[in-house]
Amino acid sequence: MYDQLYIDGEWQTATRGARLGVFNPASGALIRQVAAAGAEDIDKAVAAARRAFDEGPWPRLSGKARAACLRAMAGIMRERQLGLALLEVEDNGKPLPEAQWDVEDAIGCFDYYADLAEGLDTEALPIALPDDRFRCRVVREPMGVAGLIIPWNYPFLMAAWKVAPALAAGCTCVLKPSELTPLGALELAAIADAAGLPAGALNVVTGLGNEAGAPLSGHPGVDKLSFTGSVPTGRAIMQAGAQDIKNVSLELGGKSAFIVFDDSDIDAAVEWTLFGIFWNQGQVCSATSRLLVQEGVYDRLIERLIDATRRIRIGDGRLEGVQLGPLVSAGQYEKVMQAIERGRREGATLACGGRRPDHLPQGWFVEPTIFVDTPTESALWTEEIFGPVLAVRRFGDEQEAVRLANDSRYGLAAAVMSADPERCRRVSRALRAGIVWVNCSQPTFTQAPWGGYKQSGIGRELGTWGLDNYLETKQITEYTSESEWGWYLKHPS
């Protein structure tokens, strides 16, 4: 299964027979080889999805029938939950408890969109018109073939975030996972097959971005593109989609700020700061990687934060008690280490971490790292690193904190911590970000919208907004009595 593509309800060998290696981040060892799709395979997958949408049963089923299939997929995931989580650890490197939560969230995502799919059966919004000779209603219909491109940081969960709402809406899909972490997407294909999803409704193609992702983005048979990943790739996908005026949604990078005021609970601030930057090794688009601390609490908070950071247990994600696993790949390891070295050169003060742990000579491990007194012009402060690296600055008052937080080309998320509820509300509204957390960082719920401002993307995922991504809105207006034009045609004189 792992060395094949899933197209039109069948496991197929890539046209060219090419393969890609998949490596365990904790050891660097080759663990699998997967098919490397090319443009010919993308053509086949899109054709299968196109045929399934234009001629097949999936978009014509009731929402209730589609919901039953989504719930069947969720049920199979529950049966295979531990195996899916262990595969995620092997594929991505994250600690097992985190992988287990990811799989639980993916199951919940399918259940949630099953409920929303049922709601589509009764949705027909009547519109009040000024002319009572006409009757108007609005219906929502599936958009068509959806090209879904997902990243490597949450392989199985990101697949669920896109596939579940797309299928719930009645779309057919071509899913392209990251070449670094393709195994969860292939498992999802096997789950869809076992659940009886009609052929062509979900197709999974593994391969490189330039060989599989680019042909999918520019394919004329695709109606909708949904991408999660980096800004440069998102820009290229948007340009490709523009050729055919495709509907495009993008969830891109972030450099999110966490503002801690001096009336905050120190212990809570330390705990949420750690969670906000070191969860998933900092490989999180919404990671609160810029910490702004008010002067009155700065010294005490930083002292405790550094002490807690040094006590984080690093190692293979399969081992009990591990809190920080390896980075996903050799390439990501090099990128993060280069960012750390550049931060030193640009004047930031390294407070802790910044190197490979002595006891882990294999794999792609980086100590959790904190820089203080980070210059605002430093790349540490302005650029997404996507690793366990925190940049810290102090601030004087609320106005300065908001200004520093908003001074970014990104606007995915932000967090504010204070004992003053009114200040939290005020700052939350002032922050230019699509997600704002108050007295916490990173909680994510399927029911709430996810997406950002500025270069952090276009559109929203999750909640009802996630379903809307894959639906077209149609006006149907009926003539109910003779119009003035009808009378004139009968009585031209």
Side-chain angles (χ1 to χ4, degrees):
M1 177 187 83
Y2 290 120
D3 60 352
Q4 293 183 302
L5 311 172
Y6 185 71
I7 298 175
D8 207 16
E10 297 180 349
W11 294 100
Q12 303 183 18
T13 302
T15 302
R16 297 173 297 159
R19 294 185 180 183
L20 294 170
V22 180
F23 299 88
N24 184 334
S27 66
L30 178 71
I31 55 174
R32 296 280 197 287
Q33 286 194 327
V34 299
E40 308 94 333
D41 303 299
I42 297 299
D43 285 340
K44 290 169 65 177
V46 173
R50 183 83 265 162
R51 189 164 52 249
F53 185 80
D54 293 341
E55 305 170 14
W58 187 252
R60 292 159 189 82
L61 291 175
S62 66
K64 183 177 182 180
R66 291 199 297 270
C69 195
L70 293 177
R71 291 196 182 101
M73 291 177 68
I76 296 170
M77 290 178 208
R78 285 189 182 90
E79 295 170 2
R80 304 180 184 179
Q81 193 163 340
L82 180 58
L84 290 169
L86 288 168
L87 185 69
E88 198 83 337
V89 174
E90 189 178 35
D91 202 19
N92 170 273
K94 64 181 64 187
L96 179 59
E98 294 186 27
Q100 289 175 306
W101 289 322
D102 289 354
V103 175
E104 288 176 7
D105 285 349
I107 294 168
C109 187
F110 271 81
D111 282 334
Y112 174 77
Y113 283 106
D115 291 343
L116 292 191
E118 289 183 336
L120 293 174
D121 286 339
T122 56
E123 280 202 1
L125 180 65
I127 303 295
L129 299 176
D131 190 330
D132 60 10
R133 293 168 300 175
F134 297 89
R135 182 170 56 207
C136 181
R137 58 194 173 97
V138 172
V139 297
R140 297 195 296 168
E141 298 177 343
M143 196 166 285
V145 174
L148 312 174
I149 303 176
I150 59 173
W152 45 258
N153 57 336
Y154 290 90
F156 196 73
L157 182 58
M158 290 296 99
W161 277 26
K162 295 188 188 300
V163 171
L167 291 178
C171 290
T172 58
C173 310
V174 179
L175 172 66
K176 193 275 180 192
S178 167
E179 61 268 24
L180 298 177
T181 54
L183 304 183
L186 292 169
E187 284 290 340
L188 186 62
I191 289 167
D193 195 70
L197 192 71
L202 175 63
N203 306 273
V204 178
V205 289
T206 54
L208 296 171
N210 62 335
E211 296 178 359
L216 179 60
S217 301
H219 203 290
V222 172
D223 302 297
K224 163 75 182 183
L225 288 171
S226 180
F227 168 76
T228 298
S230 70
V231 170
T233 304
R235 185 178 292 116
I237 286 172
M238 193 171 183
Q239 290 171 340
Q243 303 308 307
D244 294 312
I245 320 297
K246 296 186 195 305
N247 184 297
V248 178
S249 55
L250 304 171
E251 200 268 277
L252 306 176
K255 193 67 180 176
S256 303
F258 192 162
I259 301 171
V260 178
F261 286 96
D262 57 12
D263 61 347
S264 300
D265 181 292
I266 296 284
D267 291 335
V270 169
E271 180 179 352
W272 284 112
T273 298
L274 294 174
F275 190 79
I277 183 57
F278 298 136
W279 184 259
N280 201 34
Q281 296 66 250
Q283 299 170 137
V284 183
C285 55
S286 61
T288 37
S289 55
R290 292 186 296 150
L291 178 64
L292 290 159
V293 185
Q294 197 164 21
E295 289 172 337
V297 76
Y298 182 90
D299 291 335
R300 285 181 293 149
L301 189 149
I302 296 304
E303 180 181 359
R304 293 197 199 179
L305 181 63
I306 291 170
D307 179 64
T309 298
R310 286 175 172 155
R311 289 187 279 109
I312 292 173
R313 184 178 176 190
I314 312 169
D316 189 322
R318 295 170 295 185
L319 300 178
E320 187 175 352
V322 164
Q323 299 165 296
L324 193 82
L327 298 178
V328 73
S329 68
Q332 189 62 18
Y333 174 85
E334 290 300 325
K335 177 185 174 185
V336 171
M337 295 304 291
Q338 288 169 11
I340 290 170
E341 181 56 34
R342 182 177 177 184
R344 287 183 174 129
R345 292 197 311 268
E346 292 179 341
T349 301
L350 180 64
C352 67
R355 63 191 188 92
R356 173 189 286 276
D358 292 335
H359 68 289
L360 293 167
Q362 305 298 320
W364 302 307
F365 294 92
V366 176
E367 290 179 339
T369 301
I370 298 175
F371 281 91
V372 297
D373 301 323
T374 311
T376 56
E377 65 274 12
S378 167
L380 278 177
W381 191 257
T382 61
E383 299 300 322
E384 184 176 46
I385 295 171
F386 230 61
V389 181
L390 179 67
V392 185
R393 285 187 63 86
R394 65 180 76 212
F395 70 90
D397 58 21
E398 180 180 315
Q399 184 178 10
E400 182 186 10
V402 171
R403 178 181 59 79
L404 287 168
N406 285 339
D407 185 18
S408 173
R409 64 192 176 106
Y410 298 107
L412 180 56
V416 55
M417 178 165 279
S418 171
D420 182 347
E422 182 54 39
R423 175 158 59 186
C424 287
R425 283 192 291 269
R426 191 168 59 243
V427 172
S428 296
R429 294 303 301 270
L431 291 167
R432 295 285 296 162
I435 304 149
V436 178
W437 294 295
V438 175
N439 291 325
C440 60
S441 178
Q442 305 306 311
T444 304
F445 301 96
T446 303
Q447 297 80 6
W450 184 271
Y453 291 12
K454 298 185 275 190
Q455 290 190 29
S456 286
I458 298 171
R460 295 294 182 270
E461 293 193 297
L462 299 183
T464 57
W465 300 266
L467 186 66
D468 290 342
N469 271 335
Y470 302 96
L471 291 167
E472 291 281 18
T473 301
K474 177 183 285 185
Q475 172 206 143
I476 301 174
T477 300
E478 303 173 67
Y479 166 63
T480 61
S481 63
E482 188 174 90
S483 68
E484 291 179 9
W485 280 106
W487 184 92
Y488 176 81
L489 290 172
K490 292 178 183 178
H491 307 86
S493 61

